[in-house]
């Protein structure tokens, strides 16, 4: 009489995956994740913009009507304009070496590329002071020739290059390794020289990864504080980049200008995030 | 064009991929390099193409009497077809086929219309008319390999090298392409070397078959010679025939 009901077609529950959690634990995990992100990332961002506009739009605009501020922005753009192309080139070369050549110390080189991620940026700055500073290794020689590296633009650029070197190479090396070089070999047997092979075959293959690396490199080079702080000397209108300038403003209790300038950096971060997401989807699609 | 391979050795670390190999391929011949995996057949093919270089020493490779031992792949311009097609995925079928013509140096490079014409002609030849604007990802394996063949042929190579060209395809497509390749070779008489581990394929297609084992050439001969007079136990065993 009592037939065993194996399946009831009227029930419309979604098929449950073996790995799915129970409803309660799912909710718990989601709320922890969302709550943490909100508290740690979204709230600070909101506060930056709120403080920046505390005295309204006028107060915000006024913050930029200041020579020191515009100079800092200009300097930061200059540093990024030098650093990003150089690191794109270095990154490409390094990724090329690691993914295409077999040589002794290849593993070591590929871990060395990540060095900037483990080393405190302050140390990155200190190294250059010890090398090129007045008391540094090359200090006297440089002074003799009237070359100023520390407390000047070259020092800022050098330390920024150190800190942001990793991004392009780190994105490209695994991608190029995974893609292999069959297409490059095909191009060569078809009579393409190295240059043609790079522009017509390799670059189109890696362009989204490259762009992704460049975006990250740019964001970091504009936002770097620690390394630059050591070598810059904080000379207003001379060697203060945007992050350093924000600190100066804040320490002088100029809260609205400080947050207004900070909001520009925050905006940069948001734009970076959007671009990063876009390039990642493109990379996935490619 | 003839190919002379003289005393070629290749080691990867401590692994001897090729041991003092000598081989001569006559103009217009269709030769199969046959052997189990790891026998060195692909390495030999890649060395002929210039994608790999033999160990320094007395070894040499000549294309029609010209020494090309130290020439790079792009100077040798041997048509090469890869097992996994190696098509340029970001280019259309037509752009793939035109690639070799477009990278030519100015004076030799055909103009736009001539390139278009040869692409259309090649597409007809591989029975893929109207596929020119598609991308490789929209093609089947057999179609991809035909495009790869057309791409290699576009520059009019003197030598055609095929590395397990049908290895990744299913049996039926394989048979059709085999027939097509044989026919193509009859028409053009381009010197052709192809690598395979499939004895049927080698025997059906090739004028001569080179049997390789552990980097050594075991025997060279026509399919009939090999079948009737296998030189040693390995050849007999590999070809699955009884030694007399």
């Amino acid at each position: 009489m009592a037939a065993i009901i194996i399946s009831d077609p009227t029930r419309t529950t979604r098929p449950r995956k073996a790995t799915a959690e129970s409803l309660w634990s799912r909710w718990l995990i989601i709320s922890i994740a969302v709550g943490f992100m909100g508290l740690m990332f979204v709230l600070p961002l909101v506060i930056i913009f709120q403080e920046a506009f505390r005295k309204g739009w006028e107060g915000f605009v006024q913050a930029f009507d200041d020579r020191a501020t515009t100079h800092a922005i200009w300097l930061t753009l200059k540093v990024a304009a030098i650093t990003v192309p150089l690191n794109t080139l270095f990154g490409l070369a390094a990724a090329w070496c690691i993914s295409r050549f077999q040589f002794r110390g290849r593993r070591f080189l590929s871990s060395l590329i990540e060095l900037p991620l483990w080393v405190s940026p302050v140390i990155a700055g200190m190294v250059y002071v010890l090398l090129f500073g007045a008391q540094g290794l090359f200090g006297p020689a440089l002074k003799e020739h009237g070359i100023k590296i520390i407390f000047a633009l070259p020092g800022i650029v050098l330390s920024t290059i150190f800190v942001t070197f990793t991004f392009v190479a780190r994105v490209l090396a695994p991608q190029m390794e995974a893609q292999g070089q069959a297409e490059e070999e095909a191009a060569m047997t078809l009579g393409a020289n190295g240059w043609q092979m790079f522009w017509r075959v390799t670059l189109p293959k890696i362009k989204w990864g490259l762009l992704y690396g460049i975006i990250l490199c740019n964001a970091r080079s504009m936002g770097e504080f620690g390394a630059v702080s050591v070598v810059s000397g904080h000379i207003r209108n001379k060697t203060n980049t945007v992050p350093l300038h924000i600190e100066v403003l804040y320490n002088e209790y100029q809260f609205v200008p400080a947050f207004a300038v900070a909001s520009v950096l925050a905006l940069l971060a948001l734009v970076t995030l959007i671009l990063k997401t876009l390039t990642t989807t493109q990379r996935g699609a490619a | 064009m003839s190919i002379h391979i003289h005393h070629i050795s290749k080691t990867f670390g401590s692994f001897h991929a090729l041991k003092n190999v000598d081989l001569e391929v006559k103009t217009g011949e269709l030769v199969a390099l046959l052997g189990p995996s790891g026998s060195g057949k692909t390495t030999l093919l890649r060395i002929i193409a210039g994608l790999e270089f033999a160990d320094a020493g007395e070894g040499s490779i000549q294309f029609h009497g010209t020494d090309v031992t130290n020439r790079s792949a792009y100077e040798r311009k041997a048509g090469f077809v890869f097992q996994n097609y190696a098509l340029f995925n970001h280019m259309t079928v037509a752009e793939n086929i035109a690639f070799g013509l477009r990278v030519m140096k100015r004076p030799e490079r055909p103009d736009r219309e001539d390139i278009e014409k040869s692409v259309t002609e090649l597409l007809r030849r591989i029975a893929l008319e109207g596929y020119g604007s598609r991308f490789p990802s929209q093609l089947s394996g057999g179609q991809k390999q035909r495009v790869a063949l057309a791409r290699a042929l576009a520059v009019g190579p003197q030598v055609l090298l095929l590395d397990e060209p049908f290895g990744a395809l299913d049996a039926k497509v394989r048979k059709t392409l085999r027939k097509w390749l044989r026919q193509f070779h009859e028409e053009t008489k381009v010197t052709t070397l192809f690598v395979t581990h499939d004895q049927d394929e080698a025997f059906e297609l090739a004028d001569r078959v080179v049997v390789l084992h552990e980097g050594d050439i075991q025997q060279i001969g026509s399919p009939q010679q090999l079948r009737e007079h296998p030189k040693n136990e390995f050849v007999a065993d590999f070809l699955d025939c009884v030694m007399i």
Side-chain angles (χ1 to χ4, degrees):
Chain A
M1 38 150 273
I4 302 164
I5 299 169
I6 295 169
S7 74
D8 176 1
T10 56
R11 278 180 61 185
T12 54
T13 47
R14 267 185 288 169
R16 198 180 144 184
K17 276 194 216 151
T19 51
E21 307 295 335
S22 76
L23 194 64
W24 278 111
S25 44
R26 247 186 291 169
W27 270 106
L28 189 67
I29 295 166
I30 291 171
S31 21
I32 289 174
V34 171
F36 182 80
M37 296 266 284
L39 201 67
M40 301 301 289
F41 302 132
V42 182
L43 195 64
L45 261 179
V46 173
I47 287 173
I48 289 174
F49 286 100
Q50 196 192 4
E51 289 295 318
F53 287 99
R54 182 167 287 267
K55 289 183 184 156
W57 177 251
E58 262 168 59
F60 180 81
V61 174
Q62 223 166 29
F64 294 95
D65 189 19
D66 170 51
R67 209 170 88 81
T69 302
T70 47
H71 184 274
I73 291 173
W74 184 235
L75 179 65
T76 293
L77 290 175
K78 235 193 305 195
V79 170
I82 302 170
T83 308
V84 174
L86 282 176
N87 270 348
T88 304
L89 223 62
F90 294 154
L92 258 171
W96 195 284
C97 279
I98 291 169
S99 62
R100 296 289 152 85
F101 305 140
Q102 293 294 331
F103 54 91
R104 235 178 233 235
R106 185 169 153 271
R107 289 272 146 242
F108 179 69
L109 182 67
S110 79
S111 348
L112 198 65
I113 282 172
E114 299 189 356
L115 183 78
L117 294 181
W118 333 316
V119 172
S120 161
V122 175
I123 293 173
M126 292 287 288
V127 170
Y128 290 108
V129 173
L130 290 175
L131 278 177
F132 304 119
Q135 271 80 45
L137 198 55
F138 302 115
L142 288 167
K143 198 173 178 192
E144 217 169 278
H145 292 91
I147 301 167
K148 210 164 151 63
I149 288 181
I150 300 304
F151 305 146
L153 182 66
I156 299 174
V157 169
L158 277 175
S159 53
T160 309
I161 285 178
F162 182 96
V163 173
T164 61
F165 170 73
T166 189
F167 293 104
V168 172
R170 242 172 68 91
V171 175
L172 285 186
Q175 193 190 345
M176 288 169 80
E177 220 162 334
Q179 282 172 337
Q181 43 185 333
E183 289 180 42
E184 276 82 357
E185 287 181 344
M188 272 170 70
T189 59
L190 290 165
N193 60 35
W195 192 247
Q196 289 169 319
M197 185 183 86
F198 176 75
W199 285 105
R200 289 167 187 248
V201 177
T202 307
L203 198 60
K205 275 206 306 189
I206 60 168
K207 65 178 175 203
W208 291 111
L210 184 64
L211 190 63
Y212 175 77
I214 291 173
I215 292 164
L216 292 185
C217 176
N218 181 59
R220 184 68 194 269
S221 70
M222 288 189 172
E224 177 53 31
F225 180 84
V228 172
S229 172
V230 177
V231 295
S232 114
H234 302 261
I235 312 165
R236 205 179 264 224
N237 287 328
K238 265 205 169 135
T239 62
N240 258 1
T241 58
V242 170
L244 301 186
H245 186 59
I246 293 169
E247 195 205 18
V248 170
L249 289 172
Y250 188 82
N251 286 345
E252 290 173 351
Y253 302 105
Q254 302 190 49
F255 294 129
V256 170
F259 279 103
V261 180
S263 71
V264 175
L265 274 188
L267 212 61
L268 170 76
L270 286 175
V271 171
T272 303
L273 189 71
I274 292 165
L275 288 174
K276 178 183 153 246
T277 315
L278 286 178
T279 54
T280 313
T281 20
Q282 281 294 340
R283 279 208 296 160
Chain B
M1 191 171 76
S2 62
I3 306 169
H4 285 254
I5 295 153
H6 182 65
H7 286 336
I8 286 292
S9 296
K10 176 74 182 174
T11 46
F12 295 105
S14 61
F15 174 69
H16 291 266
L18 290 172
K19 300 169 192 159
N20 229 354
V21 167
D22 286 287
L23 178 66
E24 202 184 316
V25 181
K26 292 189 215 84
T27 308
E29 234 186 342
L30 180 53
V31 172
L33 299 176
L34 177 67
S37 52
S39 59
K41 53 196 193 306
T42 292
T43 306
L44 182 57
L45 199 75
R46 288 173 61 86
I47 286 176
I48 296 170
L51 293 173
E52 212 90 63
F53 286 91
D55 296 345
E58 48 178 331
S60 73
I61 296 172
Q62 292 179 358
F63 280 6
H64 219 84
T66 315
D67 185 64
V68 295
T69 316
N70 294 314
R71 289 209 189 150
S72 67
Y74 80 90
E75 286 171 308
R76 293 189 202 182
K77 283 197 198 177
F80 202 98
V81 173
F82 298 81
Q83 180 176 5
N84 296 314
Y85 330 118
L87 293 176
F88 308 128
N89 287 315
H90 62 283
M91 298 183 200
T92 63
V93 166
E95 284 167 343
N96 263 283
I97 296 174
F99 185 89
L101 297 170
R102 288 198 178 137
V103 296
M104 281 180 172
K105 283 195 197 92
R106 250 308 143 67
E108 302 151 37
R109 190 167 61 210
D111 56 39
R112 202 177 281 259
E113 282 156 34
D114 286 339
I115 291 180
E116 228 166 271
K117 236 186 261 170
S118 8
V119 169
T120 318
E121 165 60 22
L122 279 159
L123 281 172
R124 193 189 56 74
R125 194 154 199 176
I126 57 170
L128 284 177
E129 290 138 305
Y131 280 68
S133 55
R134 297 219 190 169
F135 282 91
S137 57
Q138 297 166 298
L139 303 180
S140 72
Q143 291 170 333
K144 279 185 198 169
Q145 198 55 298
R146 264 139 68 199
V147 173
L149 265 162
R151 180 178 67 176
L153 294 171
V155 287
Q158 303 282 304
V159 190
L160 193 56
L161 306 170
L162 307 132
D163 183 14
E164 300 259 11
F166 314 132
L169 304 170
D170 63 67
K172 204 177 151 211
V173 180
R174 222 153 139 166
K175 277 232 165 79
T176 334
L177 273 183
R178 240 188 247 173
K179 227 179 261 166
W180 184 86
L181 181 67
R182 180 76 240 185
Q183 205 182 340
F184 172 81
H185 184 257
E186 298 282 294
E187 286 167 26
T188 58
K189 286 288 173 200
V190 173
T191 311
T192 306
L193 251 140
F194 75 98
V195 160
T196 181
H197 60 261
D198 179 347
Q199 170 208 330
D200 292 335
E201 196 165 280
F203 280 15
E204 193 185 315
L205 273 172
D207 301 321
R208 282 196 305 155
V209 177
V210 179
V211 183
L212 278 144
H213 178 53
E214 290 180 345
D216 263 326
I217 291 184
Q218 304 293 318
Q219 192 172 358
I220 306 174
S222 69
Q224 202 190 348
Q225 281 172 331
L226 289 182
R227 225 179 274 133
E228 287 171 6
H229 308 287
K231 208 166 160 187
N232 57 33
E233 230 167 290
F234 173 79
V235 177
D237 194 39
F238 189 68
L239 303 182
D240 210 15
C241 48
V242 191
M243 245 177 105
I244 309 155

